[in-house]
Amino acid sequence: MRVTTINENTSYDVVWRKLRKYHDEQLSVSRLMRLHSVNKQQAANVRKQAQQISYSLTQALEFSRAALSAGATTKALLAYYSLTALANVEILWKGDGSTSFDRRGAEYN
């Protein structure tokens, strides 16, 4: 196991830079299919899942950046929205192609 020490001043930028790799749709599709042993017939669904991961990461970053410049009254709310978007990323990442925003509404009503 490799441990990387991050300077406290740059940790924010390092984390977001590392998450940026998940914007590469083809790489995410390959990883998801391998990670969850998804058959090739589900490739279109996994692609949609990868697109939604990228979208959620963009949303999380934008909320996080907004929180950095917001006043005290809205900072916590924007941080909450950023964390919620990151939670969506985790849910989508753990999915096997059958997980997506449009399916979630039908499943949880």
Side-chain angles (χ1 to χ4, degrees):
M1 184 168 150
R2 195 178 109 206
V3 176
T4 304
T5 303
I6 301 172
N7 181 329
E8 191 174 310
N9 295 333
T10 61
S11 59
Y12 179 86
D13 295 327
V14 169
V15 168
W16 286 111
R17 195 169 32 256
K18 296 236 182 231
L19 287 172
R20 202 173 295 147
K21 68 183 172 186
Y22 295 97
H23 287 293
D24 183 338
E25 183 181 309
Q26 191 56 43
L27 183 62
S28 290
V29 168
S30 298
R31 285 179 173 176
L32 284 166
M33 291 186 77
R34 193 172 48 252
L35 178 68
H36 300 297
S37 303
V38 178
N39 62 34
K40 292 184 182 185
Q41 289 85 354
Q42 292 293 322
N45 290 333
V46 174
R47 182 168 312 288
K48 179 171 61 171
Q49 191 171 315
Q51 290 167 343
Q52 291 177 354
I53 287 170
S54 178
Y55 170 82
S56 292
L57 279 171
T58 299
Q59 193 176 45
L61 176 60
E62 289 176 2
F63 279 128
S64 179
R65 284 183 179 160
L68 289 175
S69 61
T73 56
T74 55
K75 186 179 291 281
L77 181 62
L78 290 168
Y80 168 79
Y81 286 148
S82 179
L83 290 171
T84 300
L86 287 173
N88 284 332
V89 169
E90 184 178 8
I91 290 166
L92 289 165
W93 185 258
K94 289 181 177 180
D96 60 358
S98 63
T99 306
S100 66
F101 292 145
D102 41 329
R103 285 190 175 188
R104 186 169 35 183
E107 189 173 329
Y108 298 108
N109 214 2

